Amino acid sequence: MTDTRPIAVFGAGGKTGTELLKHALDRDIPIRAFEHTVPGPGERVGDFEYIECDVLSDDFAGDLDGCRAVISSLGVAFSPSNAVDPPPLYTDGTRNLIEAMTQAKIDRITVISAAFVEHQSSVPAWFELTAKPALLKILEQMRAMEAMLSNAQDIKWTAARPGWLLDKPYTGDAVITDERLAESCFRCRHADLAASLLDFVCEDTWINAKPAIGRPEAERFESPGAIKAELGID
């Protein structure tokens, strides 16, 4: 029987969150969309219910009543200030999500981590040497989040580990492997990641696991120049 209860999506207005809502709309999956600043009517996806929420400071457990699962598409954007002192979205934010879920009697959560929290043989050496150090403190938070989920009691969790995210259209051919990216799958499209997150919850797969998600892309998207330009580093 199809579960008609909504899925709570946090970070619903971000790139991955927006793509997730589009997939849900196409599949007629009910969503309760949580966002730090609720988008205007013309910027929303479908007629989903949007709720303004700061996971670091608000009490939102009551807003989860009736939901079947939580998907966190929250993420820390790279910037010089975030590289030095990232907001604790992955740590304190995820802890608050788990506590709210416990109060609302929800036991299923899927979050976004990153493939780069541990060594990946498919990741180019130049990325390890030049880009990854700039992400050090953000990756530390992701590792702490994964450990928190692993230690949580009575929670079915999935920590998705996408490759370097790419804002291009949905393909439907992302390669999903256990913990480490498949060879030549350095990048992951937001839209492919979003579809995977939704599938993990709706199909109840990758329970207590860290699926790595990526796909081969054209050289113009994977070159050192392209990645450095996205990071704003020389």
Side-chain angles (χ1 to χ4, degrees):
M1 181 180 295
T2 302
D3 194 331
T4 59
R5 294 174 297 167
I7 297 170
V9 176
F10 287 81
K15 289 181 179 178
T16 301
T18 298
E19 292 295 334
L20 196 154
L21 266 58
K22 291 177 181 177
H23 286 298
L25 185 64
D26 290 342
R27 295 168 57 177
D28 199 26
I29 297 171
I31 296 292
R32 193 171 296 168
F34 292 77
E35 180 56 40
H36 188 272
T37 301
V38 172
E43 300 173 319
R44 299 183 186 184
V45 177
D47 59 355
F48 294 128
E49 176 186 9
Y50 280 78
I51 296 174
E52 188 167 303
C53 176
D54 185 333
V55 297
L56 296 178
S57 61
D58 291 346
D59 179 359
F60 53 88
D63 295 315
L64 293 178
D65 285 346
C67 291
R68 58 166 154 155
V70 167
I71 297 177
S72 173
S73 59
L74 295 168
V76 175
F78 179 81
S79 68
S81 60
N82 283 345
V84 173
D85 186 23
L89 274 177
Y90 298 110
T91 49
D92 294 352
T94 301
R95 184 178 298 107
N96 292 343
L97 286 173
I98 292 172
E99 291 176 356
M101 287 169 56
T102 300
Q103 294 180 51
K105 295 181 172 54
I106 299 170
D107 67 357
R108 184 73 174 102
I109 182 171
T110 298
V111 304
I112 300 175
S113 182
F116 315 110
V117 296
E118 62 180 283
H119 177 70
Q120 306 274 328
S121 61
S122 61
V123 173
W126 63 261
F127 184 90
E128 294 278 350
L129 293 172
T130 61
K132 192 171 177 179
L135 305 169
L136 177 63
K137 292 194 174 181
I138 295 174
L139 293 174
E140 285 177 347
Q141 277 204 28
M142 289 178 168
R143 292 188 193 98
M145 174 183 67
E146 289 189 357
M148 183 193 312
L149 291 167
S150 296
N151 293 327
Q153 300 296 314
D154 302 319
I155 292 289
K156 298 188 296 180
W157 56 270
T158 307
R161 289 179 166 184
W164 190 252
L165 288 168
L166 178 64
D167 191 14
K168 294 296 178 182
Y170 174 64
T171 68
D173 59 5
V175 180
I176 303 176
T177 47
D178 188 26
E179 297 199 7
R180 288 175 172 80
L181 294 167
E183 287 300 319
S184 303
C185 292
F186 168 51
R187 303 216 65 170
C188 177
R189 299 186 178 211
H190 286 278
D192 288 333
L193 170 60
S196 298
L197 296 173
L198 197 57
D199 285 342
F200 297 157
V201 167
C202 293
E203 299 172 8
D204 219 20
T205 55
W206 293 96
I207 303 296
N208 300 346
K210 305 167 188 176
I213 309 169
R215 71 184 295 274
E217 292 287 353
E219 172 64 20
R220 68 181 183 279
F221 298 136
E222 296 192 340
S223 68
I227 305 301
K228 290 178 181 179
E230 291 173 22
L231 284 169
I233 60 177
D234 296 326

